[in-house]
Amino acid sequence: MSLTTSQNIHIDKIESSRIDQVDFNNLTFGNIFTDYMFECDYKEGAWHKPTIKPYGPLTISPAAKIFHYGQAVFEGMKAYKDTNDRVFLFRPEENFKRINKSAKRMAIPEFPRDIFFDAMHQIINLDRAWIKPGVGNSLYIRPFVIATQVGVSASPSNEYKFMILLSPAQAYYSGAVKVVIAEEYSRSANGGVGYAKAAGNYGAQFYPTNLAREKGFQQVIWTDSNEHKYLEEAGTMNVFFRINDTLITAPTSDRILDGVTRKSVIALAEHDGINVEVRPILVSEIVEAAKNNELKEIFGAGTAAVISPVSAFSYKNVTYDLPNLEAGYASQFKKRLTNIQHNLAEDPFNWRYEISK
Ligand code: COI
């Protein structure tokens, strides 16, 4: 193993790459990781020793607070390669701000901006060969922070580990998604952590999502925890509804994730002159619109999921099928976004961020 050091990040090089063992035409989301990972520890009030090393297991005490109190936050980002071998991130500043917003809510110290961006540049360049060009291919980037202090007293950790993993990705969902509208369980509540990418936000959804799966639905659309009257977000994505030609999505709040894809879709729709309404959406309004054939589309928007059309939703045990629109808003926004991400179209909002070699 050879050791090299970038200006600020210690780099521990691999002996040989695992890339030849990977079938890039048959990737399932989030199962394969690249050659490298980034690691930086927080101790005695400061972040120390940023290191990039070969991807592999960690040694952590079973008494570390992450295992007992779930003090952890994460982000989801992607890198894209164009046909000239240029690599781009999409609005990475938003992810940087959001991981620190999530961290603050979970009593985790903020991570420095300079190390975050330096780490992105260094690790993505080391694993550059793992990013395949072409719309549909990307490198999913998973920054995360875990509480590593040893001890089971229920108090915030005083030691943390910030890491970045990289995973070559294609589609998150293999086809259109069928969803159930939540009537009993809740994802988040006022004053809670719904807006944060806190690990437990996701874990808490697994059981009700399993119940939906047993009935043939892949995701739950969460509703407000008070009355289950208003539509909020789905497990891995924000949700948009199209009634006639108007695009509607719920406003962000302390219950809803401020999704980067969500805000990009709103910006593109407004730019294209589509009527966009960001407002509370009643379940009854969507059911009525479906009955009257005015509900044209539902789609999810997220980094992993990109834009995922919903083919049907279930509410009070009635399933409502949605029309299969070839040229609907979902396909229009998916194309607009992925063309910008892959440097195939103008970038009027300056969303691309190049990782230069
Ligand atoms: C993302 O889109 O990055 C997400 O956070 C979804 C993830 C839970 C798979």
Side-chain angles (χ1 to χ4, degrees):
M1 238 174 238
S2 71
L3 299 180
T4 59
T5 310
S6 92
Q7 218 178 356
N8 300 304
I9 300 176
H10 179 85
I11 300 174
D12 184 355
K13 287 249 173 100
I14 50 162
E15 279 165 5
S16 62
S17 174
R18 288 178 285 102
I19 196 166
D20 291 341
Q21 300 163 19
V22 177
D23 178 358
F24 281 87
N25 296 319
N26 286 301
L27 296 170
T28 51
F29 182 85
N31 289 332
I32 304 276
F33 293 91
T34 61
D35 289 326
Y36 288 97
M37 62 186 192
F38 172 85
E39 205 177 316
C40 185
D41 290 328
Y42 182 90
K43 268 190 182 123
E44 290 156 8
W47 293 98
H48 297 280
K49 289 196 307 187
T51 304
I52 294 175
K53 55 170 67 163
Y55 172 83
L58 302 173
T59 302
I60 296 186
S61 163
K65 296 206 179 201
I66 172 61
F67 300 127
H68 303 274
Y69 304 115
Q71 203 190 356
V73 295
F74 72 94
E75 264 306 316
M77 308 165 65
K78 276 180 177 168
Y80 310 87
K81 193 180 263 181
D82 76 3
T83 43
N84 295 314
D85 207 33
R86 291 173 71 187
V87 169
F88 300 92
L89 300 180
F90 184 71
R91 310 185 73 178
E93 190 70 38
E94 298 295 328
N95 302 92
F96 169 70
K97 285 194 253 170
R98 194 171 59 186
I99 199 166
N100 280 339
K101 195 172 162 191
S102 302
K104 187 173 178 191
R105 178 63 182 82
M106 294 300 289
I108 294 173
E110 292 190 5
F111 196 68
R113 188 180 185 284
D114 55 339
I115 313 182
F116 182 91
F117 280 93
D118 195 10
M120 287 293 161
H121 277 263
Q122 301 291 338
I123 192 169
I124 290 170
N125 270 328
L126 284 164
D127 279 327
R128 217 176 158 94
W130 290 76
I131 318 174
K132 300 299 172 195
V135 169
N137 294 317
S138 64
L139 184 71
Y140 186 73
I141 305 169
R142 172 52 66 89
F144 65 101
V145 193
I146 53 171
T148 50
Q149 186 192 346
V150 174
V152 296
S153 67
S155 57
S157 177
N158 59 16
E159 294 181 5
Y160 296 89
K161 195 179 276 299
F162 178 102
M163 298 194 69
I164 302 173
L165 305 180
L166 305 177
S167 174
Q170 289 171 318
Y172 190 83
Y173 295 108
S174 49
V177 182
K178 289 168 77 180
V179 298
V180 173
I181 294 180
E183 292 168 56
E184 182 184 355
Y185 295 96
S186 300
R187 175 186 174 275
S188 60
N190 287 339
V193 296
Y195 69 89
K197 279 188 96 74
N201 263 348
Y202 293 77
Q205 298 180 63
F206 294 163
Y207 175 69
T209 306
N210 274 350
L211 298 180
R213 285 224 169 98
E214 281 165 15
K215 294 183 177 165
F217 297 84
Q218 289 82 36
Q219 283 271 296
V220 176
I221 296 188
W222 299 104
T223 47
D224 67 287
S225 57
N226 279 348
E227 300 175 284
H228 298 293
K229 269 170 68 178
Y230 291 94
L231 294 155
E232 301 210 317
E233 69 170 271
T236 58
M237 45 198 193
N238 297 107
V239 207
F240 287 82
F241 302 86
R242 173 180 172 188
I243 296 184
N244 294 320
D245 285 339
T246 298
L247 192 61
I248 314 169
T249 195
T252 53
S253 67
D254 56 3
R255 300 189 306 274
I256 298 186
L257 189 84
D258 186 8
V260 179
T261 314
R262 171 191 176 278
K263 64 175 100 173
S264 305
V265 167
I266 294 172
L268 285 174
E270 284 171 347
H271 183 261
D272 290 355
I274 290 171
N275 185 30
V276 184
E277 294 178 4
V278 178
R279 60 163 174 83
I281 311 154
L282 282 163
V283 179
S284 57
E285 179 184 354
I286 293 306
V287 170
E288 257 335 275
K291 285 182 183 160
N292 298 336
N293 294 324
E294 288 175 345
L295 183 66
K296 305 294 181 204
E297 289 178 79
I298 302 179
F299 60 88
T303 298
V306 194
I307 302 288
S308 291
V310 169
S311 58
F313 73 90
S314 160
Y315 183 63
K316 294 203 185 296
N317 290 321
V318 180
T319 297
Y320 299 85
D321 288 314
L322 287 151
N324 183 5
L325 297 186
E326 286 278 310
Y329 286 172
S331 59
Q332 176 182 328
F333 293 125
K334 185 168 182 182
K335 194 159 183 216
R336 291 287 305 279
L337 273 176
T338 51
N339 279 350
I340 293 175
Q341 288 162 339
H342 286 266
N343 195 26
L344 291 168
E346 297 243 320
D347 180 18
F349 301 99
N350 279 321
W351 286 338
R352 275 194 297 264
Y353 174 100
E354 185 157 9
I355 299 288
S356 46
K357 278 189 197 169

